[in-house]
Amino acid sequence: MKIGVVGAGAVGAYYGSLLARAGSEVTFLLRSDWEAVIRRGYWIQEQGKETFQLYPVRGFRRTEEMGPCDLVLIALKATAREALRELLPPLLQPQTVLVALQNGLGNEEWLSDVFPNHPIIGGIVFGCLTRTAPGRVENAGFGKIELGAYRGAREAFLREVALQFERAGVPCSVVESLEAARWRKLAWNIPFNGISVAGGGCDVEEILRDAELSRLATGLMEEVAAVARSRELPFPEDWTKRMMADTMRMGRYRPSTLVDFLAGRSIEVEAIWGEPLRRAQKLGVPTPRLQALYALLRALDRRSGAVPKLH
Amino acid sequence: MKIGVVGAGAVGAYYGSLLARAGSEVTFLLRSDWEAVIRRGYWIQEQGKETFQLYPVRGFRRTEEMGPCDLVLIALKATAREALRELLPPLLQPQTVLVALQNGLGNEEWLSDVFPNHPIIGGIVFGCLTRTAPGRVENAGFGKIELGAYRGAREAFLREVALQFERAGVPCSVVESLEAARWRKLAWNIPFNGISVAGGGCDVEEILRDAELSRLATGLMEEVAAVARSRELPFPEDWTKRMMADTMRMGRYRPSTLVDFLAGRSIEVEAIWGEPLRRAQKLGVPTPRLQALYALLRALDRRSGAVPKLH
């Protein structure tokens, strides 16, 4: 199975490298990191393990050089998605499957509109991944992936992809409802990615330690749970507690949105906060905290003057 | 009536200058602006009117030099209130009346605890006052004051103070319920001062123009109204609409909290957001937006590393 990785930030580099190390045929689209990665390969630092190097890396600066793939892992920020219109076609053959390895809502819908003839899978990442330097990625904990069919992906194929991840050392499960899995993940991203930025640059430990920030995080989680339940999506009773407990083990992790914001890059305001808010409003579920956070983050993002950028 | 002004930032300088111009005997406690004010006087720029200069100004660097007063206008930020323990005693004689010309809740309570033998009045300022340079204050609109007895102030005295303000050209009314007036003012300060900072530096025009920020502002106003009404305090049905309409006339006004925040000074997190939130919680009135804003502002204030400062 030939795998292409588009958007080789922390997520794309990490999973692509693990798959390549396990023997999959992986090619990467590289931009700013091209020189570093071609010269020295990828360096992956897994918490509590030895750093491993992937070398050489099949990295290219244009998707035309990568050629058609069986599977494309899309790990581009939602804010940069328009670039996919030109980036993806050279990678596509009739049965190429697209995997949206992105946060928030609306990514699969967008892909489905623009590439209506390809099976689409949604991938949800539970990992504390940070690109610490060109070609260097650190995983501060977790790393699990959940895969769910969005459209046209056969179950057998999904299981095969999951198996490739598992063989690469990535815990990977196939979920029945992609929508439910997306909301469960949003129950983490909405509070932690949002508060980290709107609170002026807090890591997750600071959020948990501050009684008011942590109360706000819990309140946001409950709003997300209420939306999911109003759609009758499975959302375990103890999910928010489990999320809080998992977060305690992350140490001083900075959510990716904060890393982007501090680097002057635009943040995924619509995918993570705007789209969930609009769906909650359509369903008539009150989400006052989510509205507050969305309004503030939108203003912060606009004022940062950032323009969408590729890695 | 001898009037002392303590905390000669925008509010103290503006009202003190107007009272002095109208013939009242006003002395000012000055800190960083002392040299500028002694040399060149106060320059007050009133919207749509000619700038007027108050010169000479009876300004001193220590309250010991000011001597006892009949009335003390306290326009120090709530964050700097501890300084009043040492600043006020030299100004006090047995019947000296203290006027808390400050935002938020808890100022009169604090004065009452620390100076239990003095009548206390609360003063609520509706003005777009900004200190633009040492000794220079701009009023971008409004300027009204509401006065209410907190403890021990005779009604006849209150009316006399109000008259002095009126003679100085300041619209001034005496309110029956100080608590109600404080909540009505909070319905402006909580959203506009808060969003201006948490939104990354928005003036009031930006807040009104942005559909989501303006929805958040309205939501916060409604939470404040609900708290006031649960206390059976008079809170007019159309108050939030009137507030929004008044705000539209303020142009690109930056609330004082934003000015303080951008200058690296601490902000009045507890007086404007913390204390109202705690009272709402005690009353059992849900205020999720207020909690969110309080949590974020507290974190922003802490991270700014500011320490309380006098002007």
Side-chain angles (χ1 to χ4, degrees):
Chain A
M1 192 187 295
K2 194 178 158 191
I3 300 171
V5 176
V6 174
V11 168
Y14 178 78
Y15 290 109
S17 295
L18 264 64
L19 289 166
R21 181 175 62 161
S24 298
E25 188 187 346
V26 183
T27 58
F28 298 82
L29 174 67
L30 298 170
R31 296 293 179 101
S32 56
D33 287 5
W34 184 81
E35 206 183 323
V37 173
I38 292 304
R39 274 203 193 178
R40 300 185 297 269
Y42 269 124
W43 289 82
I44 309 292
Q45 166 69 64
E46 190 96 42
Q47 203 187 29
K49 294 186 192 166
E50 257 182 38
T51 300
F52 89 82
Q53 181 198 28
L54 178 73
Y55 187 86
V57 171
R58 299 192 206 187
F60 302 95
R61 285 201 261 209
R62 303 171 60 238
T63 45
E64 285 81 354
E65 301 169 62
M66 292 163 71
C69 299
D70 302 302
L71 188 77
V72 180
L73 298 181
I74 299 167
L76 214 57
K77 300 276 168 192
T79 46
R81 68 160 67 117
E82 284 298 323
L84 294 171
R85 288 180 195 274
E86 295 197 353
L87 292 176
L88 286 193
L91 305 176
L92 304 179
Q93 52 199 13
Q95 274 312 303
T96 302
V97 176
L98 306 177
V99 184
L101 220 52
Q102 295 158 303
N103 276 324
L105 296 182
N107 295 303
E108 294 87 8
E109 288 80 347
W110 187 90
L111 284 172
S112 172
D113 285 349
V114 180
F115 303 98
N117 300 318
H118 292 270
I120 293 168
I121 294 174
I124 291 140
V125 170
F126 294 83
C128 296
L129 303 168
T130 309
R131 172 183 167 279
T132 53
R136 288 187 170 265
V137 175
E138 195 182 286
N139 182 15
F142 308 93
K144 189 181 80 168
I145 282 188
E146 287 179 354
L147 297 177
Y150 177 75
R151 189 201 61 200
R154 283 171 300 109
E155 167 133 11
F157 186 82
L158 261 171
R159 304 235 164 258
E160 199 187 317
V161 175
L163 201 65
Q164 292 231 10
F165 275 113
E166 287 277 352
R167 273 198 300 247
V170 176
C172 185
S173 54
V174 175
V175 295
E176 262 184 63
S177 162
L178 176 62
E179 191 190 354
R182 286 260 174 243
W183 282 104
R184 287 195 301 265
K185 178 71 194 298
L186 281 169
W188 197 88
N189 287 134
I190 284 177
F192 287 99
N193 292 43
I195 295 170
S196 72
V197 170
C202 308
D203 59 46
V204 300
E205 191 174 290
E206 285 173 83
I207 296 173
L208 292 176
R209 275 197 189 169
D210 179 301
E212 293 294 337
L213 291 178
S214 141
R215 183 169 305 148
L216 173 56
T218 307
L220 284 160
M221 282 179 167
E222 282 161 9
E223 289 183 4
V224 173
V227 179
R229 289 191 185 121
S230 85
R231 291 271 298 143
E232 296 183 5
L233 297 168
F235 199 100
E237 266 308 318
D238 65 343
W239 186 257
T240 58
K241 265 189 203 158
R242 272 154 61 188
M243 283 289 209
M244 289 304 243
D246 281 354
T247 310
M248 292 228 254
R249 292 159 55 202
M250 293 182 188
R252 312 216 57 169
Y253 175 61
R254 291 179 155 191
S256 58
T257 309
L258 177 56
V259 174
D260 286 338
F261 185 73
L262 294 177
R265 291 189 289 267
S266 61
I267 61 177
E268 297 170 294
V269 185
E270 295 308 325
I272 301 182
W273 298 273
E275 192 55 31
L277 175 63
R278 287 185 284 274
R279 297 204 192 173
Q281 286 169 339
K282 211 173 269 180
L283 292 161
V285 180
T287 51
R289 297 169 188 86
L290 173 56
Q291 194 277 328
L293 200 52
Y294 171 56
L296 296 174
L297 291 169
R298 221 168 69 124
L300 287 166
D301 184 50
R302 188 171 57 222
R303 299 186 70 80
S304 85
V307 286
K309 268 204 285 189
L310 296 176
H311 277 287
Chain B
M1 193 187 294
K2 195 177 156 190
I3 300 171
V5 176
V6 174
V11 168
Y14 178 78
Y15 290 108
S17 296
L18 263 65
L19 289 167
R21 181 174 63 160
S24 299
E25 190 187 344
V26 183
T27 57
F28 298 81
L29 174 68
L30 298 170
R31 297 293 180 101
S32 56
D33 287 5
W34 184 82
E35 207 185 321
V37 172
I38 291 303
R39 275 203 191 178
R40 300 186 296 269
Y42 269 126
W43 289 82
I44 309 293
Q45 167 71 64
E46 189 95 42
Q47 203 188 29
K49 295 187 192 165
E50 256 183 39
T51 299
F52 88 83
Q53 182 197 26
L54 178 73
Y55 187 86
V57 171
R58 297 192 209 189
F60 301 95
R61 285 199 261 210
R62 302 171 61 236
T63 45
E64 284 81 354
E65 301 170 62
M66 293 165 70
C69 299
D70 302 304
L71 189 77
V72 180
L73 298 181
I74 299 167
L76 214 57
K77 299 275 169 193
T79 46
R81 66 160 69 117
E82 284 299 322
L84 293 172
R85 289 180 194 273
E86 296 197 353
L87 292 176
L88 288 193
L91 304 177
L92 304 179
Q93 51 200 12
Q95 275 311 304
T96 302
V97 176
L98 306 177
V99 184
L101 219 54
Q102 296 160 301
N103 277 323
L105 296 181
N107 295 303
E108 293 88 8
E109 287 80 348
W110 187 89
L111 284 173
S112 172
D113 284 349
V114 180
F115 303 98
N117 300 316
H118 291 271
I120 293 168
I121 293 174
I124 291 139
V125 171
F126 294 83
C128 296
L129 302 168
T130 310
R131 173 183 166 280
T132 54
R136 290 187 168 264
V137 174
E138 196 181 286
N139 182 14
F142 308 94
K144 191 180 77 165
I145 282 188
E146 288 179 351
L147 296 177
Y150 177 72
R151 189 201 61 198
R154 283 171 298 111
E155 168 133 9
F157 186 84
L158 261 171
R159 302 237 165 257
E160 200 188 317
V161 175
L163 200 66
Q164 293 230 10
F165 275 113
E166 286 280 351
R167 272 199 299 249
V170 176
C172 184
S173 55
V174 175
V175 295
E176 261 183 63
S177 162
L178 176 63
E179 192 189 353
R182 286 261 174 244
W183 283 104
R184 288 195 301 265
K185 178 71 195 299
L186 282 168
W188 196 88
N189 287 135
I190 285 177
F192 287 99
N193 291 44
I195 295 171
S196 72
V197 170
C202 307
D203 58 45
V204 299
E205 190 175 291
E206 285 174 83
I207 296 172
L208 292 176
R209 275 196 188 168
D210 180 302
E212 292 293 336
L213 291 179
S214 140
R215 183 170 304 149
L216 173 55
T218 307
L220 284 160
M221 283 180 168
E222 282 161 8
E223 290 182 3
V224 173
V227 180
R229 289 191 185 121
S230 85
R231 291 271 297 144
E232 296 184 4
L233 297 169
F235 200 99
E237 266 308 318
D238 64 344
W239 185 258
T240 58
K241 264 190 202 155
R242 272 153 60 187
M243 283 290 211
M244 289 304 243
D246 282 353
T247 311
M248 292 230 257
R249 292 158 55 201
M250 293 182 190
R252 312 216 57 170
Y253 176 62
R254 289 179 157 193
S256 57
T257 310
L258 176 57
V259 174
D260 286 337
F261 185 74
L262 295 177
R265 289 190 290 267
S266 62
I267 61 177
E268 297 170 294
V269 185
E270 296 308 326
I272 303 182
W273 298 272
E275 192 54 32
L277 175 64
R278 286 185 286 273
R279 298 205 191 173
Q281 285 169 341
K282 213 174 266 180
L283 292 161
V285 179
T287 52
R289 296 168 188 86
L290 173 57
Q291 195 276 328
L293 200 51
Y294 172 57
L296 297 173
L297 290 169
R298 220 167 69 123
L300 287 166
D301 185 50
R302 190 171 54 224
R303 298 186 71 82
S304 83
V307 286
K309 264 202 288 189
L310 296 176
H311 276 288

